[in-house]
Amino acid sequence: MSEQTPLDLPEGDPFGPHNLPYGVFTPAGSAERRVGVRLGAAVLDAGAAAAALGSPYVSLLARPSLGPLLAAGRTAWRDVRRALTAWVTVPAHREVLEPLFFPLSAVTLHLPFEVADYVDFYSSEHHARHLGKIFRPDGEPLTPNWKHLPIGYHGRAGTVVVSGTDVVRPRGQRKAPSDPAPVFGPSARLDIETEVAFVVGVPSALGTPVPLSAFRDHVFGLCLLNDWSARDIQGWENVPLGPFLGKSFATSLSAWVTPLEALDAARVRPPERSHDLLPYLDDTAGDAADEPAGYDLRLSVEVNGHPVAEPPFSTMYWTAAQQLAHMTVGGASLRTGDLYASGTVSGPERHQYGSLIELTWNGRDPLDLPGGRRTFLEDGDEVVLTGWAPGPDGTRVGLGEVRGRIAPAIVPAV
Amino acid sequence: MSEQTPLDLPEGDPFGPHNLPYGVFTPAGSAERRVGVRLGAAVLDAGAAAAALGSPYVSLLARPSLGPLLAAGRTAWRDVRRALTAWVTVPAHREVLEPLFFPLSAVTLHLPFEVADYVDFYSSEHHARHLGKIFRPDGEPLTPNWKHLPIGYHGRAGTVVVSGTDVVRPRGQRKAPSDPAPVFGPSARLDIETEVAFVVGVPSALGTPVPLSAFRDHVFGLCLLNDWSARDIQGWENVPLGPFLGKSFATSLSAWVTPLEALDAARVRPPERSHDLLPYLDDTAGDAADEPAGYDLRLSVEVNGHPVAEPPFSTMYWTAAQQLAHMTVGGASLRTGDLYASGTVSGPERHQYGSLIELTWNGRDPLDLPGGRRTFLEDGDEVVLTGWAPGPDGTRVGLGEVRGRIAPAIVPAV
């Protein structure tokens, strides 16, 4: 009997062999980035494993980034995943693999790929209605276009940071309606946005739309994402061209990319559509209806260790396949590493709201947390997003967490 | 007497030795990208020149991209420019250099660097007022924030294309107020936006604002840019999160980056500020007032060879230094290759408007061009942006052109 190793996970571990998310890590004492595959609370040096086992996938796995694997395409994704599954489940490989595992506590995790373009959508009907009611209490909560297309905008790719990175409170201009002129200072309304982000692997050519049916040929996997938002900065700058500095200071991404293949058991139909959709977005007929692109992901939000919400991703009105079809229908090309996020995930019930602006109804109803009352985030607060999805045979597929602590605003020496 | 060579430019050529913009090219028959420096109608293989002359700058110039030079910083930018100036002006180097020139007609020009993040501002007061008057004829043309901060948003970096690339007319959703539901099809209101884009060389750290005074430590140079816009697609999608598919299908960039050092004689104070500015944007006092960051660039727009406008960049309300200070004041970091554009450049007079929506007043007053009447662009139309700036001693500094032809919308085979 060998002693307990990462290959002896207890039954039902959400990061068992049915999951196998990918990341990039450096072991303690090393500067070399390596592709890792998570198993339980350990990470397998996937490139070293491929080399040790004489696998042809060493060219995709013995790399400092997931980029080459992302670009390799759906057949390669499937074949590499099959190989990894065999490696961690066939007892004959134990002796070779065991030395290639590192405890998560002994590695540094990095952004797993270089983010090309970052797009953020606004695809939860509940979230959009809540914000509409807060900001336009006497008007129609949804804008007229909302049910016809997935509203989205480009964010700043260069400030996507890996989970665990401190988030410095941004400074900026804000102006309350009662202020005679804008004031400058640290944001007083720093918020979270609980989101799910999709990772593009296979590029597309400029001028060529990607139809709904090609979603899984281009998208490799998904991650949890926290799109930190400074509501006061955003409120003042937002009209006429949308969010800019209110969102650009940091976006936190999980260190682990869950392949879509691990989530097949979690696929669900999106909510009933209340409006007819144009053909390029219509997922109620044909292939798109047979291959639903909703995902039943159960998300959780904790602030300072206290659970504050459980947003259900299955309630999202627009799917990731529709978002991709929309993003490219005008001819915009995709690149390996493009990242697009769902927008805040919120369900209909108050304990399902994915942002503090909803949970506190714009500060009117503070949250009483054990560490103190909160409307928006205070310096030192730590936010953790977690999630899981139904896996095969009653298992759970764990999603890599997104963790971030608020550091005080920096006042530059001038 | 040697025969006429690129080193024997006529006096007063706007691409003379006082200019020396950088690009990336491949000679006919080669696949190897090389850094080039333009002189007249020829391009010098700068890496080969550095190698032949034993220059230490071979490590920055014998590269397939401008990236390493951009990242090298202001002292290196100055030293490399001094070296290049000496090479093309000192007769002793003629024999070595002459074989390293290629006529522009015999090379392919590429995007000179990998665009990291792309930001588009909205910094012409005239342009913003014109659009305000067109779309809100009964309201205040400028939004309340306009005079307090440079409005901007992130665009799609992956669809920035080099001058000369055809632009495929985008398809998408649009909805006129009289339409009962959105319709889908090729944009019927395809427009140009005449802009100037600034190229970031030196990165900055996350959480650390870049003050006005550090503008020239980070920004290497500028380019002309055409931010093609589908007004009908943009009009339907724009509220509440700003432009997305109306702009993401293509953005054309000049193949030539003009170093800011070549434009010292063109520096001008921006227009008088009508509102007090917060300190981080205040360029009316201190170093910022002594180092004006406005540029007297004279732009020209041609459609099918017919001049339609001459937008004056000196009229821009917000400078590139203010845009950079604003973009980073919340802590957003910069990367080498970040590109940020001015927004449409328009002057107060009708012949100075930088977009067709202004020139035709949203289609009400068509332009009569020799090839036919135009409101917006038709398939086959070719748009060319050119420009120049006052150089030293009465010279002109030519800016690299931006050329693009409209190709018909692609109807995908489904």
Side-chain angles (χ1 to χ4, degrees), chain B residues 259-285:
Chain B
L260 292 188
E261 284 184 275
L263 296 166
D264 273 339
R267 292 168 70 189
V268 291
R269 278 184 211 291
E272 186 96 6
R273 276 70 178 78
S274 57
H275 289 55
D276 285 344
L277 295 177
L278 285 163
Y280 79 97
L281 291 173
D282 187 0
D283 60 359
T284 62

PDB file of all heavy atoms in Angstrom, chain B residues 259-285:
ATOM      1  N   PRO B 259       7.521  59.387 -34.495  1.00  0.00           N
ATOM      2  CA  PRO B 259       7.951  59.610 -33.109  1.00  0.00           C
ATOM      3  C   PRO B 259       7.586  61.021 -32.647  1.00  0.00           C
ATOM      4  O   PRO B 259       7.647  61.966 -33.440  1.00  0.00           O
ATOM      5  CB  PRO B 259       9.474  59.439 -33.159  1.00  0.00           C
ATOM      6  CG  PRO B 259       9.860  59.171 -34.557  1.00  0.00           C
ATOM      7  CD  PRO B 259       8.650  59.214 -35.436  1.00  0.00           C
ATOM      8  N   LEU B 260       7.204  61.152 -31.383  1.00  0.00           N
ATOM      9  CA  LEU B 260       6.855  62.490 -30.881  1.00  0.00           C
ATOM     10  C   LEU B 260       8.021  63.457 -31.061  1.00  0.00           C
ATOM     11  O   LEU B 260       7.813  64.654 -31.261  1.00  0.00           O
ATOM     12  CB  LEU B 260       6.455  62.420 -29.403  1.00  0.00           C
ATOM     13  CG  LEU B 260       5.146  61.686 -29.092  1.00  0.00           C
ATOM     14  CD1 LEU B 260       4.771  61.869 -27.618  1.00  0.00           C
ATOM     15  CD2 LEU B 260       3.999  62.152 -29.991  1.00  0.00           C
ATOM     16  N   GLU B 261       9.235  62.929 -31.010  1.00  0.00           N
ATOM     17  CA  GLU B 261      10.414  63.805 -31.181  1.00  0.00           C
ATOM     18  C   GLU B 261      10.436  64.513 -32.523  1.00  0.00           C
ATOM     19  O   GLU B 261      11.054  65.572 -32.651  1.00  0.00           O
ATOM     20  CB  GLU B 261      11.691  62.987 -31.061  1.00  0.00           C
ATOM     21  CG  GLU B 261      12.013  62.617 -29.638  1.00  0.00           C
ATOM     22  CD  GLU B 261      13.341  61.883 -29.607  1.00  0.00           C
ATOM     23  OE1 GLU B 261      13.336  60.662 -29.826  1.00  0.00           O
ATOM     24  OE2 GLU B 261      14.365  62.539 -29.376  1.00  0.00           O
ATOM     25  N   ALA B 262       9.808  63.908 -33.534  1.00  0.00           N
ATOM     26  CA  ALA B 262       9.783  64.548 -34.856  1.00  0.00           C
ATOM     27  C   ALA B 262       8.772  65.688 -34.899  1.00  0.00           C
ATOM     28  O   ALA B 262       8.726  66.435 -35.870  1.00  0.00           O
ATOM     29  CB  ALA B 262       9.451  63.516 -35.926  1.00  0.00           C
ATOM     30  N   LEU B 263       7.963  65.806 -33.851  1.00  0.00           N
ATOM     31  CA  LEU B 263       6.838  66.737 -33.861  1.00  0.00           C
ATOM     32  C   LEU B 263       7.003  67.873 -32.860  1.00  0.00           C
ATOM     33  O   LEU B 263       6.038  68.550 -32.518  1.00  0.00           O
ATOM     34  CB  LEU B 263       5.537  65.957 -33.589  1.00  0.00           C
ATOM     35  CG  LEU B 263       5.202  64.923 -34.681  1.00  0.00           C
ATOM     36  CD1 LEU B 263       4.116  63.966 -34.202  1.00  0.00           C
ATOM     37  CD2 LEU B 263       4.760  65.616 -35.966  1.00  0.00           C
ATOM     38  N   ASP B 264       8.228  68.088 -32.397  1.00  0.00           N
ATOM     39  CA  ASP B 264       8.425  69.141 -31.383  1.00  0.00           C
ATOM     40  C   ASP B 264       8.000  70.508 -31.887  1.00  0.00           C
ATOM     41  O   ASP B 264       7.433  71.306 -31.133  1.00  0.00           O
ATOM     42  CB  ASP B 264       9.885  69.159 -30.919  1.00  0.00           C
ATOM     43  CG  ASP B 264      10.104  68.183 -29.771  1.00  0.00           C
ATOM     44  OD1 ASP B 264       9.112  67.820 -29.099  1.00  0.00           O
ATOM     45  OD2 ASP B 264      11.259  67.786 -29.545  1.00  0.00           O
ATOM     46  N   ALA B 265       8.245  70.774 -33.151  1.00  0.00           N
ATOM     47  CA  ALA B 265       7.893  72.101 -33.681  1.00  0.00           C
ATOM     48  C   ALA B 265       6.385  72.269 -33.832  1.00  0.00           C
ATOM     49  O   ALA B 265       5.909  73.379 -34.063  1.00  0.00           O
ATOM     50  CB  ALA B 265       8.582  72.313 -35.040  1.00  0.00           C
ATOM     51  N   ALA B 266       5.651  71.179 -33.716  1.00  0.00           N
ATOM     52  CA  ALA B 266       4.192  71.234 -33.907  1.00  0.00           C
ATOM     53  C   ALA B 266       3.438  71.323 -32.591  1.00  0.00           C
ATOM     54  O   ALA B 266       2.204  71.362 -32.591  1.00  0.00           O
ATOM     55  CB  ALA B 266       3.734  69.996 -34.683  1.00  0.00           C
ATOM     56  N   ARG B 267       4.168  71.369 -31.477  1.00  0.00           N
ATOM     57  CA  ARG B 267       3.457  71.387 -30.194  1.00  0.00           C
ATOM     58  C   ARG B 267       2.783  72.741 -29.973  1.00  0.00           C
ATOM     59  O   ARG B 267       3.376  73.782 -30.190  1.00  0.00           O
ATOM     60  CB  ARG B 267       4.434  71.079 -29.056  1.00  0.00           C
ATOM     61  CG  ARG B 267       4.914  69.640 -29.141  1.00  0.00           C
ATOM     62  CD  ARG B 267       6.071  69.388 -28.225  1.00  0.00           C
ATOM     63  NE  ARG B 267       5.646  69.426 -26.839  1.00  0.00           N
ATOM     64  CZ  ARG B 267       6.495  69.415 -25.821  1.00  0.00           C
ATOM     65  NH1 ARG B 267       7.799  69.411 -26.033  1.00  0.00           N
ATOM     66  NH2 ARG B 267       6.044  69.425 -24.594  1.00  0.00           N
ATOM     67  N   VAL B 268       1.544  72.673 -29.558  1.00  0.00           N
ATOM     68  CA  VAL B 268       0.765  73.894 -29.330  1.00  0.00           C
ATOM     69  C   VAL B 268      -0.047  73.741 -28.051  1.00  0.00           C
ATOM     70  O   VAL B 268      -0.315  72.628 -27.592  1.00  0.00           O
ATOM     71  CB  VAL B 268      -0.223  74.191 -30.491  1.00  0.00           C
ATOM     72  CG1 VAL B 268       0.525  74.596 -31.745  1.00  0.00           C
ATOM     73  CG2 VAL B 268      -1.140  73.004 -30.752  1.00  0.00           C
ATOM     74  N   ARG B 269      -0.420  74.873 -27.494  1.00  0.00           N
ATOM     75  CA  ARG B 269      -1.349  74.834 -26.368  1.00  0.00           C
ATOM     76  C   ARG B 269      -2.735  74.431 -26.859  1.00  0.00           C
ATOM     77  O   ARG B 269      -3.161  74.873 -27.933  1.00  0.00           O
ATOM     78  CB  ARG B 269      -1.468  76.215 -25.720  1.00  0.00           C
ATOM     79  CG  ARG B 269      -0.367  76.515 -24.774  1.00  0.00           C
ATOM     80  CD  ARG B 269      -0.550  77.850 -24.073  1.00  0.00           C
ATOM     81  NE  ARG B 269       0.780  78.363 -23.801  1.00  0.00           N
ATOM     82  CZ  ARG B 269       1.598  77.813 -22.907  1.00  0.00           C
ATOM     83  NH1 ARG B 269       1.221  76.786 -22.186  1.00  0.00           N
ATOM     84  NH2 ARG B 269       2.807  78.301 -22.736  1.00  0.00           N
ATOM     85  N   PRO B 270      -3.425  73.607 -26.069  1.00  0.00           N
ATOM     86  CA  PRO B 270      -4.807  73.288 -26.438  1.00  0.00           C
ATOM     87  C   PRO B 270      -5.695  74.522 -26.274  1.00  0.00           C
ATOM     88  O   PRO B 270      -5.251  75.546 -25.721  1.00  0.00           O
ATOM     89  CB  PRO B 270      -5.179  72.197 -25.442  1.00  0.00           C
ATOM     90  CG  PRO B 270      -4.280  72.409 -24.268  1.00  0.00           C
ATOM     91  CD  PRO B 270      -3.006  72.999 -24.802  1.00  0.00           C
ATOM     92  N   PRO B 271      -6.947  74.456 -26.742  1.00  0.00           N
ATOM     93  CA  PRO B 271      -7.853  75.611 -26.610  1.00  0.00           C
ATOM     94  C   PRO B 271      -8.031  76.004 -25.139  1.00  0.00           C
ATOM     95  O   PRO B 271      -7.829  75.189 -24.236  1.00  0.00           O
ATOM     96  CB  PRO B 271      -9.175  75.083 -27.179  1.00  0.00           C
ATOM     97  CG  PRO B 271      -8.820  73.915 -28.019  1.00  0.00           C
ATOM     98  CD  PRO B 271      -7.583  73.320 -27.435  1.00  0.00           C
ATOM     99  N   GLU B 272      -8.391  77.237 -24.948  1.00  0.00           N
ATOM    100  CA  GLU B 272      -8.706  77.747 -23.604  1.00  0.00           C
ATOM    101  C   GLU B 272      -9.707  76.814 -22.918  1.00  0.00           C
ATOM    102  O   GLU B 272     -10.676  76.366 -23.537  1.00  0.00           O
ATOM    103  CB  GLU B 272      -9.329  79.141 -23.763  1.00  0.00           C
ATOM    104  CG  GLU B 272      -9.584  79.898 -22.486  1.00  0.00           C
ATOM    105  CD  GLU B 272      -8.437  80.858 -22.196  1.00  0.00           C
ATOM    106  OE1 GLU B 272      -7.529  80.996 -23.047  1.00  0.00           O
ATOM    107  OE2 GLU B 272      -8.457  81.469 -21.119  1.00  0.00           O
ATOM    108  N   ARG B 273      -9.470  76.511 -21.616  1.00  0.00           N
ATOM    109  CA  ARG B 273     -10.383  75.650 -20.875  1.00  0.00           C
ATOM    110  C   ARG B 273     -11.515  76.485 -20.277  1.00  0.00           C
ATOM    111  O   ARG B 273     -11.256  77.483 -19.618  1.00  0.00           O
ATOM    112  CB  ARG B 273      -9.635  74.937 -19.744  1.00  0.00           C
ATOM    113  CG  ARG B 273      -8.909  73.672 -20.190  1.00  0.00           C
ATOM    114  CD  ARG B 273      -7.707  73.946 -21.065  1.00  0.00           C
ATOM    115  NE  ARG B 273      -6.993  72.723 -21.436  1.00  0.00           N
ATOM    116  CZ  ARG B 273      -7.383  71.872 -22.372  1.00  0.00           C
ATOM    117  NH1 ARG B 273      -8.463  72.104 -23.075  1.00  0.00           N
ATOM    118  NH2 ARG B 273      -6.675  70.796 -22.624  1.00  0.00           N
ATOM    119  N   SER B 274     -12.725  76.038 -20.490  1.00  0.00           N
ATOM    120  CA  SER B 274     -13.875  76.809 -20.016  1.00  0.00           C
ATOM    121  C   SER B 274     -14.247  76.447 -18.582  1.00  0.00           C
ATOM    122  O   SER B 274     -15.035  77.161 -17.954  1.00  0.00           O
ATOM    123  CB  SER B 274     -15.072  76.562 -20.937  1.00  0.00           C
ATOM    124  OG  SER B 274     -15.349  75.179 -20.977  1.00  0.00           O
ATOM    125  N   HIS B 275     -13.723  75.329 -18.071  1.00  0.00           N
ATOM    126  CA  HIS B 275     -14.044  74.881 -16.716  1.00  0.00           C
ATOM    127  C   HIS B 275     -12.740  74.644 -15.965  1.00  0.00           C
ATOM    128  O   HIS B 275     -11.747  74.239 -16.565  1.00  0.00           O
ATOM    129  CB  HIS B 275     -14.806  73.552 -16.743  1.00  0.00           C
ATOM    130  CG  HIS B 275     -16.214  73.655 -17.248  1.00  0.00           C
ATOM    131  ND1 HIS B 275     -16.535  74.196 -18.477  1.00  0.00           N
ATOM    132  CD2 HIS B 275     -17.388  73.270 -16.688  1.00  0.00           C
ATOM    133  CE1 HIS B 275     -17.848  74.151 -18.641  1.00  0.00           C
ATOM    134  NE2 HIS B 275     -18.390  73.585 -17.580  1.00  0.00           N
ATOM    135  N   ASP B 276     -12.758  74.865 -14.641  1.00  0.00           N
ATOM    136  CA  ASP B 276     -11.606  74.480 -13.836  1.00  0.00           C
ATOM    137  C   ASP B 276     -11.451  72.962 -13.899  1.00  0.00           C
ATOM    138  O   ASP B 276     -12.442  72.225 -13.848  1.00  0.00           O
ATOM    139  CB  ASP B 276     -11.814  74.884 -12.370  1.00  0.00           C
ATOM    140  CG  ASP B 276     -11.622  76.382 -12.194  1.00  0.00           C
ATOM    141  OD1 ASP B 276     -11.047  77.022 -13.098  1.00  0.00           O
ATOM    142  OD2 ASP B 276     -12.072  76.903 -11.152  1.00  0.00           O
ATOM    143  N   LEU B 277     -10.211  72.529 -13.979  1.00  0.00           N
ATOM    144  CA  LEU B 277      -9.947  71.094 -14.047  1.00  0.00           C
ATOM    145  C   LEU B 277      -9.410  70.589 -12.723  1.00  0.00           C
ATOM    146  O   LEU B 277      -8.705  71.308 -12.006  1.00  0.00           O
ATOM    147  CB  LEU B 277      -8.932  70.812 -15.160  1.00  0.00           C
ATOM    148  CG  LEU B 277      -9.425  71.126 -16.570  1.00  0.00           C
ATOM    149  CD1 LEU B 277      -8.332  70.895 -17.592  1.00  0.00           C
ATOM    150  CD2 LEU B 277     -10.657  70.297 -16.905  1.00  0.00           C
ATOM    151  N   LEU B 278      -9.740  69.339 -12.401  1.00  0.00           N
ATOM    152  CA  LEU B 278      -9.149  68.686 -11.239  1.00  0.00           C
ATOM    153  C   LEU B 278      -7.633  68.630 -11.447  1.00  0.00           C
ATOM    154  O   LEU B 278      -7.152  68.590 -12.576  1.00  0.00           O
ATOM    155  CB  LEU B 278      -9.742  67.284 -11.076  1.00  0.00           C
ATOM    156  CG  LEU B 278     -11.182  67.310 -10.522  1.00  0.00           C
ATOM    157  CD1 LEU B 278     -11.887  65.980 -10.753  1.00  0.00           C
ATOM    158  CD2 LEU B 278     -11.181  67.657  -9.027  1.00  0.00           C
ATOM    159  N   PRO B 279      -6.867  68.635 -10.348  1.00  0.00           N
ATOM    160  CA  PRO B 279      -5.404  68.752 -10.485  1.00  0.00           C
ATOM    161  C   PRO B 279      -4.768  67.735 -11.435  1.00  0.00           C
ATOM    162  O   PRO B 279      -3.847  68.077 -12.184  1.00  0.00           O
ATOM    163  CB  PRO B 279      -4.904  68.572  -9.043  1.00  0.00           C
ATOM    164  CG  PRO B 279      -6.038  69.053  -8.189  1.00  0.00           C
ATOM    165  CD  PRO B 279      -7.295  68.689  -8.934  1.00  0.00           C
ATOM    166  N   TYR B 280      -5.255  66.506 -11.440  1.00  0.00           N
ATOM    167  CA  TYR B 280      -4.572  65.508 -12.292  1.00  0.00           C
ATOM    168  C   TYR B 280      -4.758  65.785 -13.780  1.00  0.00           C
ATOM    169  O   TYR B 280      -4.048  65.198 -14.607  1.00  0.00           O
ATOM    170  CB  TYR B 280      -5.033  64.071 -11.936  1.00  0.00           C
ATOM    171  CG  TYR B 280      -6.369  63.641 -12.483  1.00  0.00           C
ATOM    172  CD1 TYR B 280      -6.456  62.896 -13.657  1.00  0.00           C
ATOM    173  CD2 TYR B 280      -7.558  63.944 -11.838  1.00  0.00           C
ATOM    174  CE1 TYR B 280      -7.686  62.479 -14.167  1.00  0.00           C
ATOM    175  CE2 TYR B 280      -8.789  63.540 -12.337  1.00  0.00           C
ATOM    176  CZ  TYR B 280      -8.841  62.811 -13.515  1.00  0.00           C
ATOM    177  OH  TYR B 280     -10.052  62.408 -14.010  1.00  0.00           O
ATOM    178  N   LEU B 281      -5.705  66.643 -14.130  1.00  0.00           N
ATOM    179  CA  LEU B 281      -5.942  67.003 -15.539  1.00  0.00           C
ATOM    180  C   LEU B 281      -5.556  68.445 -15.860  1.00  0.00           C
ATOM    181  O   LEU B 281      -5.644  68.864 -17.025  1.00  0.00           O
ATOM    182  CB  LEU B 281      -7.431  66.811 -15.877  1.00  0.00           C
ATOM    183  CG  LEU B 281      -7.946  65.386 -15.926  1.00  0.00           C
ATOM    184  CD1 LEU B 281      -9.466  65.372 -16.101  1.00  0.00           C
ATOM    185  CD2 LEU B 281      -7.270  64.596 -17.046  1.00  0.00           C
ATOM    186  N   ASP B 282      -5.120  69.187 -14.862  1.00  0.00           N
ATOM    187  CA  ASP B 282      -4.915  70.628 -15.049  1.00  0.00           C
ATOM    188  C   ASP B 282      -3.602  70.900 -15.773  1.00  0.00           C
ATOM    189  O   ASP B 282      -2.518  70.750 -15.199  1.00  0.00           O
ATOM    190  CB  ASP B 282      -4.929  71.333 -13.686  1.00  0.00           C
ATOM    191  CG  ASP B 282      -4.882  72.849 -13.846  1.00  0.00           C
ATOM    192  OD1 ASP B 282      -4.849  73.334 -15.007  1.00  0.00           O
ATOM    193  OD2 ASP B 282      -4.863  73.544 -12.818  1.00  0.00           O
ATOM    194  N   ASP B 283      -3.721  71.302 -17.030  1.00  0.00           N
ATOM    195  CA  ASP B 283      -2.522  71.600 -17.815  1.00  0.00           C
ATOM    196  C   ASP B 283      -2.334  73.099 -18.006  1.00  0.00           C
ATOM    197  O   ASP B 283      -1.641  73.536 -18.919  1.00  0.00           O
ATOM    198  CB  ASP B 283      -2.573  70.879 -19.161  1.00  0.00           C
ATOM    199  CG  ASP B 283      -3.776  71.285 -20.014  1.00  0.00           C
ATOM    200  OD1 ASP B 283      -4.582  72.122 -19.555  1.00  0.00           O
ATOM    201  OD2 ASP B 283      -3.906  70.762 -21.132  1.00  0.00           O
ATOM    202  N   THR B 284      -2.946  73.874 -17.123  1.00  0.00           N
ATOM    203  CA  THR B 284      -2.812  75.333 -17.248  1.00  0.00           C
ATOM    204  C   THR B 284      -1.762  75.888 -16.301  1.00  0.00           C
ATOM    205  O   THR B 284      -1.512  77.080 -16.288  1.00  0.00           O
ATOM    206  CB  THR B 284      -4.160  76.029 -16.943  1.00  0.00           C
ATOM    207  OG1 THR B 284      -4.528  75.734 -15.593  1.00  0.00           O
ATOM    208  CG2 THR B 284      -5.250  75.548 -17.887  1.00  0.00           C
ATOM    209  N   ALA B 285      -1.164  75.013 -15.504  1.00  0.00           N
ATOM    210  CA  ALA B 285      -0.179  75.495 -14.528  1.00  0.00           C
ATOM    211  C   ALA B 285       0.968  74.502 -14.452  1.00  0.00           C
ATOM    212  O   ALA B 285       0.849  73.347 -14.855  1.00  0.00           O
ATOM    213  CB  ALA B 285      -0.832  75.625 -13.148  1.00  0.00           C
TER     214      ALA B 285
END
